[in-house]
Amino acid sequence: MRVVVAMDSFKGSVGSADAGRAVARGVKRALADAHVSILTVADGGEGTIDAMASVPGAQRLTIATQDLLGRPIEAAYVLVGNTVIVESASVLGLPLLDHGLDGTVDQTSPMRATSLPLGVVMRAVIDAHAPTAVMVGLGGTGTTDGGTGLVVGLGGVVRDSAGVSLDPADGNPLLRGAASVELPNLGNVAIRGLTDVRAPLRGDSGAARMFGPQKGAEPAMVERLEGAMATWEAEVGGRIGATPGAGAAGGIGAALLALGGDLVSGSEWILEFAGADVWDGADLVFTGEGHIDAQSALGKVPHGVGVVARRHGSPVVVALGGAVGTDTLDGVDAVLPIHTQPLPLAEAMKPDVTEHALAHAARQVAAIVGAVGRTQPM
């Protein structure tokens, strides 16, 4: 039996590679002669660089820059041929925001955090390598600035209604009246955003209302951001905000569209690029992440694995989650929790507990599939 394991990270517990190895151990305990392929994967958010660095011929490089709050940081990027891959989470990641003693995000974060560092990194790698394409992993960020900071970091200018240029170093330009823009010249470089969600820029499933609260935005701030997004959207391209993925990474997706780029599902692109040789002929596919919920169905790794696995004819696809809030994912036959009994969150997220639970769940699934010998979808 041929088995493909493509697990996302269980954030705060184990990474994609460790989760994959745990599942593989479980499969081997049930089916000793199984051929198991493990893919290090991501959806455009955290882990994108690790996934792409595993591709043959890839070079993992670093650059000194700043994070979303202006603090010094070193960011990694990947060079594959004439293509550069950068990751928003490495410089704009949600964990980089200030947190209170109770673990909640500082409520001033929406006003202070900007996407400027990602634009600076993109400009630097374009100047250094003259690539034909820059792939931008979008996801897992602590910013909600519509990509205003990114535009400035690339060399553009964002102004308020009085024509005053807005410096992202002074705070989120979106909340300081961003009303007009001069887009930077990127030459002939193709820009593509690898989105972790298919969210639009605005609305209940958009950058502010869906994702703003987890980045420190209280209700009044969420609506303030939502209104500012409308003004910004009108300036950068009318209805581009309705494009699936425009709301990814706090609205950076919309900015990339305004720059002439396009957006694709990060999970699907990475899975096809990093695992081109493993999908055909797979009898069983495992995927999963720490919390499988409604956001998972918007384009995260489990959704992408289901789509790609079905595209290649895999008959059985199973998703494993530390917590499960939905049982419906495109192309996935079963969504299963890995814990057999309720556990305190701190206990459930211990790496050894997660890996043991993943291996146990995978062993059970593999034993059933191996015994039944299915060749049709469940």
Side-chain angles (χ1 to χ4, degrees):
M1 176 177 286
R2 293 195 62 235
V3 180
V4 174
V5 180
M7 306 294 293
D8 198 359
S9 63
F10 280 53
K11 290 182 176 61
S13 182
V14 298
S16 169
D18 287 336
R21 284 190 286 266
V23 170
R25 287 196 297 273
V27 171
K28 283 292 192 178
R29 288 170 188 163
L31 304 169
D33 60 348
H35 180 275
V36 183
S37 298
I38 305 172
L39 296 180
T40 301
V41 299
D43 54 18
E46 179 187 5
T48 296
I49 293 301
D50 291 336
M52 296 311 302
S54 68
V55 174
Q59 299 179 61
R60 184 187 181 111
L61 305 168
T62 59
I63 183 172
T65 184
Q66 295 180 329
D67 70 7
L68 74 178
L69 296 177
R71 298 166 301 202
I73 195 172
E74 190 171 79
Y77 65 97
V78 171
L79 179 64
V80 183
N82 291 323
T83 298
V84 172
I85 301 97
V86 299
E87 177 190 283
S88 62
S90 65
V91 289
L92 311 179
L94 187 60
L96 295 171
L97 291 177
D98 292 331
H99 291 71
L101 295 176
D102 60 354
T104 59
V105 177
D106 187 331
Q107 291 186 345
T108 68
S109 295
M111 294 177 284
R112 297 186 294 132
T114 81
S115 58
L116 173 66
L118 182 61
V120 170
V121 169
M122 289 176 63
R123 182 81 264 175
V125 299
I126 289 172
D127 292 344
H129 301 287
T132 56
V134 176
M135 316 300 293
V136 188
L138 299 180
T141 73
T143 60
T144 312
D145 74 345
T148 52
L150 172 121
V151 169
V152 174
L154 280 166
V157 181
V158 175
R159 293 187 171 90
D160 63 17
S161 59
V164 177
S165 62
L166 301 173
D167 184 351
D170 297 329
N172 186 347
L174 195 70
L175 294 174
R176 292 161 53 220
S180 66
V181 63
E182 293 177 18
L183 294 173
N185 180 8
L186 301 181
N188 295 320
V189 180
I191 303 294
R192 171 165 286 180
L194 309 176
T195 65
D196 69 334
V197 293
R198 295 175 291 179
L201 183 63
R202 297 185 294 116
D204 290 343
S205 59
R209 289 180 178 163
M210 174 70 82
F211 304 103
Q214 71 190 47
K215 303 175 185 183
E218 54 188 342
M221 175 58 73
V222 166
E223 293 310 308
R224 185 179 168 193
L225 288 165
E226 181 75 2
M229 287 286 189
T231 301
W232 176 240
E233 178 186 1
E235 172 59 23
V236 296
R239 291 192 54 77
I240 64 170
T243 304
I252 295 175
L256 295 185
L257 290 171
L259 290 164
D262 66 352
L263 305 176
V264 297
S265 165
S267 57
E268 292 180 43
W269 188 87
I270 292 168
L271 287 163
E272 291 281 14
F273 195 94
D277 299 329
V278 305
W279 294 105
D280 292 339
D283 302 294
L284 171 62
V285 174
F286 283 98
T287 186
E289 62 180 344
H291 190 187
I292 299 177
D293 57 13
Q295 290 187 25
S296 303
L298 292 176
K300 290 185 178 290
V301 165
H303 166 86
V305 171
V307 171
V308 172
R310 285 288 187 252
R311 186 183 299 155
H312 288 267
S314 302
V316 182
V317 184
V318 175
L320 305 176
V324 172
T326 182
D327 59 2
T328 304
L329 292 173
D330 289 350
V332 175
D333 298 297
V335 181
L336 306 173
I338 61 174
H339 298 295
T340 57
Q341 60 185 12
L343 292 174
L345 181 60
E347 177 70 15
M349 292 183 66
K350 290 181 178 178
D352 59 334
V353 173
T354 297
E355 291 181 20
H356 176 79
L358 281 167
H360 180 73
R363 179 180 183 179
Q364 290 184 310
V365 171
I368 293 171
V369 174
V372 173
R374 279 188 181 272
T375 58
Q376 300 297 321
M378 294 174 67

